[in-house]
Every structure is written in C-alpha cells, then in structure tokens.
Amino acid sequence: MAAALTAALLAAPAAASQGPASHAPRHTFGRSTSTNWSGYSVAGAGATHVIGTWTQPAVTCAAGENSWSSPWVGIDGDTSNTVEQIGTDSDCQAGTPTYYAWYEMYPKGLVTVSVAVRPGDSFTAEVTAGSSGTFVLKLIDHTTGTSFQTTQSSKRARRASAEWIMEGPSSGLLSNFGSAPFSAASATIGSATGGVGSFANAQPITMVTNQGVPRAVPSAVTGGTAFSVGWKHN
C-alpha cells in the first residue's frame, strides 16, 4: 500500500489481489489522481514520523462480491518504491464483510496482526523512523484498548514522504465503505512537524478508474488535521 503519483516516477508494481496481499503503490494518471489511493500525501526529504486516527468503516457487500478497501498511514511510496505502513481492511469476501489489521514493509509482503477489527472502532496508526533503517509501526484500537507494535527494518527506505490513505485495488472492486473519516493526521518531515493541513505541499489524491471516473474522493482538510474519504464507485 502506499505514493509520487506520476507514472514516469514509478514503475508500477503488480496490483494487490483480494484479501491479505500486498498493498503496492500504483499511480498512473497524475499528481492528484491514482488508480488505488485516495487521501493525502506530503512529499519531502527526511520523513521520520506519521500518525493518524480513523473510524473503521463498515462495508456494504453485494451477493458474492469480492472487493477490498483499506485505511492506513505510512512513510515512503509517494516518490519512492518502498512503503513502511500499517492499517486495517474493510473487505467483502464472497459477499461477506471481513475486517482485519496488518502492516507491510513493501516490497516485502503484507503481514496480518492479532488486533480484532470491528466497524465503528477508533484506530490510531503510527510509523516512526529510527536509526539505521529501523521503523516502529504501531496500531491502537481505542474502542477495545488493544494494541500492536513491531520494529522492522529497510535498507532501501528513503523516508521521502508521509501518507494518510484509503486504498483499493487498481484491478478489481473497491468495497463500498461509505465514508472514512481521518483525524489527528500529522507528520514530521525534515525539521517541520505539523498537521497535514500545515504543509503547503499536502496533496489531495482522488482514486479513479482506468477511464478516469472517481472511485473515492478526499474532502478538504479541516482544523489542520482532519478530512474524510468518500466512496463513489467501485
């Protein structure tokens, strides 16, 4: 899962499949559009911290539907081809709503974690870059009080951006998640620390089909740290 949104900058990895699989960056239209991301990105050297909170959306599934949607926060992926990220999924598997938590150090594979995910729960995800390519990834369910933390490493990570994203498959159906509200979205990039709205280069990203039809659209940032992503089309 995870960034610069121009095809010229990124060689597009294979699209993620249904269920627990890689959430890889894949951006084929332009700086403000993507075939699999919607939310906000801030590009800049020296990204060391990103945090955000969301309310887990409930999905509406058609009979037999296989689809997925995933809120997450992460470092890298916008102008680089690694992503250090953690989040949750609201999916449809054979028409049944399915929810789970995960982290990924892309291009390594996605790892599911033992935090129960229920629609309506409030989650905070956080990624902190340390020395020598280490990253601490945290996920807290404020509703149940459960949490998860892991320390991972990546020698390839450039720490070149921070993201708050609702993701779907580039090839396949985006689950109808309704609306995904994000709050407390902030980052440290270089010497600057602040909410997503405090960065002059904060980039809203609209998820579109291969024909350019909007699939998921971010709202404007309010209060410096809050926005929502609204489902439009699968």
Side-chain angles (χ1 to χ4, degrees):
M1 304 186 179
L5 305 178
T6 55
L9 292 177
L10 285 180
S17 61
Q18 162 63 23
S22 177
H23 292 68
R26 187 179 181 90
H27 306 285
T28 59
F29 281 83
R31 181 67 186 154
S32 62
T33 57
S34 165
T35 56
N36 66 330
W37 280 16
S38 186
Y40 279 83
S41 174
V42 178
T48 56
H49 182 250
V50 62
I51 190 169
T53 298
W54 62 82
T55 301
Q56 186 69 23
V59 289
T60 302
C61 301
E65 177 181 334
N66 290 313
S67 61
W68 62 268
S69 62
S70 181
W72 56 264
V73 305
I75 291 175
D76 280 325
D78 189 5
T79 57
S80 57
N81 56 9
T82 69
V83 193
E84 304 80 47
Q85 56 192 154
I86 188 165
T88 60
D89 262 55
S90 290
D91 298 353
C92 297
Q93 295 186 358
T96 300
T98 304
Y99 306 92
Y100 57 90
W102 55 271
Y103 73 88
E104 186 173 24
M105 297 289 291
Y106 182 81
K108 294 180 180 179
L110 179 148
V111 179
T112 57
V113 303
S114 57
V115 173
V117 177
R118 305 177 307 179
D121 283 6
S122 174
F123 285 91
T124 292
E126 181 176 14
V127 179
T128 304
S131 60
S132 303
T134 61
F135 292 85
V136 178
L137 302 97
K138 299 179 182 179
L139 184 69
I140 300 173
D141 184 336
H142 298 287
T143 305
T144 64
T146 57
S147 63
F148 169 84
Q149 178 175 317
T150 184
T151 300
Q152 302 290 319
S153 62
S154 172
K155 294 181 179 179
R156 296 172 54 187
R158 291 171 51 194
R159 297 189 290 113
S161 61
E163 294 88 27
W164 306 261
I165 298 295
M166 190 68 179
E167 185 171 355
S170 288
S171 177
L173 297 179
L174 173 67
S175 298
N176 183 351
F177 58 84
S179 179
F182 286 77
S183 62
S186 65
T188 298
I189 300 177
S191 61
T193 297
V196 57
S198 70
F199 291 91
N201 65 331
Q203 179 65 59
I205 304 165
T206 295
M207 190 189 308
V208 296
T209 68
N210 289 322
Q211 292 72 41
V213 177
R215 303 171 75 196
V217 180
S219 71
V221 175
T222 60
T225 63
F227 66 92
S228 63
V229 177
W231 182 90
K232 299 297 182 184
H233 188 280
N234 57 15

